[in-house]
Amino acid sequence: MAELTGLSQAFLSMLESGARRLTNIDKIIEFLQGLDVPPDIAPLHLPGRVAATVPQSAVDPLSGDLDPALPWTPGRMVTALDIAVGGDALDRRKFLTVSGVALTAYAHHWGTTDAEPWYEATQTSAKVSARTLSALHGIIDDLRMTDAGAGSGTLAKLGRDHLRLIRGFLRNGTYTEETGRELAAIAADTAAQTGWFYFDAGDHERAQIYLLAALRAAHASGDVRLGAGALSYLAIYGYSTGNPRDAVSAARSAREKTKSLHTPALEAMLLTRQARGHAKLGEQQGALAVLGRAAELCAQGRSEQDPPWLYWVNEGEIYGQSGSCFLDLGDAQRAVTSLAKAHAALNPTDHRTRGLFLTRAASAYLRQGDVEAGCDSAHEALDLAEQLQSHRLNEHVETMLNDLHAVGDSTYAQELLDRAATLAGAGP
């Protein structure tokens, strides 16, 4: 029950005995969702609208209100894409950050709403061919690989422009229902990756708009694995922006929807996202339980059903996320051990992830008093930070430097702080 609902065993016992009541609305919805309570018994509706100013049209089939409680039609998917790629000057007054009960409701409706039928687009423009689909898919694959090796940099705008092109085909192309779903799948992948690019670049609000659009496109495509991918990024968004319970909820929703697919790599990745949320909340038992399961699934290897965009899930990733959880839980020694194993097992071309884990390893060494080892890891992290364009990695470097400042007058620490100061002064 604790694993399903996110509530502690002690609190569940008090609920059963009548000593406590469940009154927090976020906890109530997470409890009902965890137990798969049918929506007709306890409807979960989002109070208010995600984008209150989106225009409605009774004529245009590719527009509509974005309240997640309304049918998830292809038209509303395209409206969400319109909002995401609307331009550089995002009017933030038009949007509400989706978190807590709102995010839970969004994930709930994604997971329980039946797929709406597609209309066959019969515009006068050219037919969307298999060659076109292959080219569109290849571009986002290239951007994904570039991001892993070089950081987000200018990739967010490239992803946005690519999504605009895909949105144009959805609006104006001629295609069958099958092709429409394939276009939606490419849109979901592109929107999720572009949301990640914006997140890595530090534009968190815009990132979430893309990720919610990706969730809608994934639903329209019929590929729940793509929706799980979008929710995994929303989980990172949650535990990185002060809402770790959102991370637990988003990862659980994705796992629930994909549990029958036999995708061990996908579930292992989702479990690490859930674990990070538990760790940020100080829930050690919950974090350790799901990390153990993630390691077991990773050891099984990939299945044919695992999506190809999860190429980076390996033993090094599991060790790295485990070390990150231990660091959040205050166990520096276990963090050091896990992060050292991650360093040895990671894909050598995944420079940003290696840089992130190195900053955490440096912090773990420093917090347990091993200044020399901490500075060695910090120097390696700075070597990578010099090469990458990642605001997220730079934030981790700042955290690492704060740990260095706490060391005091150590020669090792001062040398490293001087180097960091020089790099900061040479920045753009």
Side-chain angles (χ1 to χ4, degrees):
M1 284 284 286
E3 169 66 20
L4 288 171
T5 64
L7 301 174
S8 70
Q9 293 180 359
F11 188 78
L12 286 168
S13 295
M14 288 187 284
L15 282 180
E16 289 176 336
S17 67
R20 295 289 298 275
R21 296 181 62 189
L22 197 60
T23 57
N24 181 282
I25 186 62
D26 289 359
K27 293 287 189 182
I28 290 171
I29 287 189
E30 187 170 347
F31 181 85
L32 295 173
Q33 183 184 10
L35 296 182
D36 287 331
V37 175
D40 56 333
I41 295 177
L44 307 180
H45 293 297
L46 172 62
R49 300 210 173 138
V50 177
T53 60
V54 175
Q56 297 186 58
S57 170
V59 179
D60 185 357
L62 294 181
S63 68
D65 192 306
L66 294 187
D67 184 336
L70 295 174
W72 282 48
T73 62
R76 291 193 175 92
M77 169 198 67
V78 177
T79 298
L81 296 176
D82 286 342
I83 294 170
V85 301
D88 290 324
L90 177 66
D91 186 353
R92 283 168 167 77
R93 294 172 299 176
K94 292 183 178 181
F95 302 100
L96 301 173
T97 299
V98 179
S99 63
V101 60
L103 182 60
T104 301
Y106 218 102
H108 168 79
H109 288 292
W110 163 77
T112 60
T113 304
D114 291 334
E116 292 285 327
W118 274 73
Y119 61 90
E120 294 205 3
T122 56
Q123 310 292 338
T124 57
S125 58
K127 181 180 178 180
V128 179
S129 66
R131 182 177 179 180
T132 300
L133 293 172
S134 177
L136 292 172
H137 192 77
I139 289 172
I140 191 57
D141 280 342
D142 287 345
L143 292 178
R144 185 178 4 252
M145 296 301 294
T146 301
D147 171 62
S152 58
T154 59
L155 294 181
K157 290 184 178 180
L158 291 174
R160 178 204 63 192
D161 291 343
H162 186 51
L163 189 59
R164 281 178 176 167
L165 178 62
I166 298 165
R167 186 270 313 263
F169 280 114
L170 283 164
R171 273 196 172 279
N172 304 311
T174 299
Y175 47 82
T176 64
E177 176 175 348
E178 180 181 358
T179 300
R181 293 197 184 279
E182 289 187 55
L183 275 172
I186 298 170
D189 192 9
T190 303
Q193 277 301 128
T194 305
W196 171 249
F197 298 156
Y198 275 114
F199 183 83
D200 188 55
D203 193 343
H204 294 168
E205 190 168 16
R206 194 187 298 267
Q208 193 186 62
I209 293 168
Y210 275 87
L211 293 175
L212 293 175
L215 199 60
R216 286 187 176 274
H219 185 275
S221 76
D223 189 342
V224 296
R225 299 172 302 174
L226 289 166
L231 283 170
S232 76
Y233 286 134
L234 285 166
I236 298 174
Y237 180 99
Y239 69 66
S240 300
T241 58
N243 296 292
R245 184 59 66 193
D246 287 352
V248 175
S249 178
R252 277 203 181 120
S253 295
R255 288 176 56 208
E256 177 63 24
K257 188 66 174 177
T258 57
K259 64 183 180 182
S260 63
L261 298 182
H262 182 53
T263 49
L266 179 60
E267 186 174 2
M269 181 271 289
L270 292 170
L271 284 163
T272 64
R273 306 298 182 240
Q274 182 178 333
R276 294 295 304 278
H278 284 307
K280 292 284 187 183
L281 290 164
E283 298 172 352
Q284 179 172 331
Q285 185 176 358
L288 295 182
V290 294
L291 284 173
R293 179 58 180 155
E296 292 172 0
L297 288 165
C298 184
Q300 291 180 18
R302 300 175 185 281
S303 76
E304 293 182 356
Q305 299 303 314
D306 271 309
W309 41 264
L310 271 183
Y311 67 92
W312 46 268
V313 174
N314 57 20
E315 189 179 47
E317 173 71 13
I318 304 301
Y319 279 131
Q321 295 299 340
S322 298
S324 302
C325 287
F326 290 132
L327 192 62
D328 288 334
L329 291 167
D331 191 339
Q333 180 57 56
R334 295 180 76 179
V336 163
T337 301
S338 291
L339 290 165
K341 292 178 179 178
H343 188 69
L346 275 177
N347 185 329
T349 63
D350 198 346
H351 299 309
R352 183 186 50 221
T353 298
R354 185 175 297 277
L356 290 169
F357 289 163
L358 279 168
T359 63
R360 295 169 193 167
S363 290
Y365 279 121
L366 293 167
R367 293 177 194 181
Q368 70 170 4
D370 191 341
V371 179
E372 183 175 358
C375 289
D376 286 344
S377 292
H379 276 297
E380 287 189 70
L382 288 179
D383 289 342
L384 288 170
E386 290 176 358
Q387 307 169 29
L388 299 170
Q389 299 183 58
S390 170
H391 183 271
R392 183 163 172 256
L393 175 56
N394 292 341
E395 288 180 334
H396 280 70
V397 168
E398 286 298 317
T399 300
M400 176 186 75
L401 294 178
N402 288 337
D403 286 322
L404 273 169
H405 280 294
V407 170
D409 297 327
S410 165
T411 302
Y412 296 113
Q414 191 56 53
E415 177 187 345
L416 189 59
L417 290 169
D418 289 342
R419 179 189 176 191
T422 300
L423 292 175

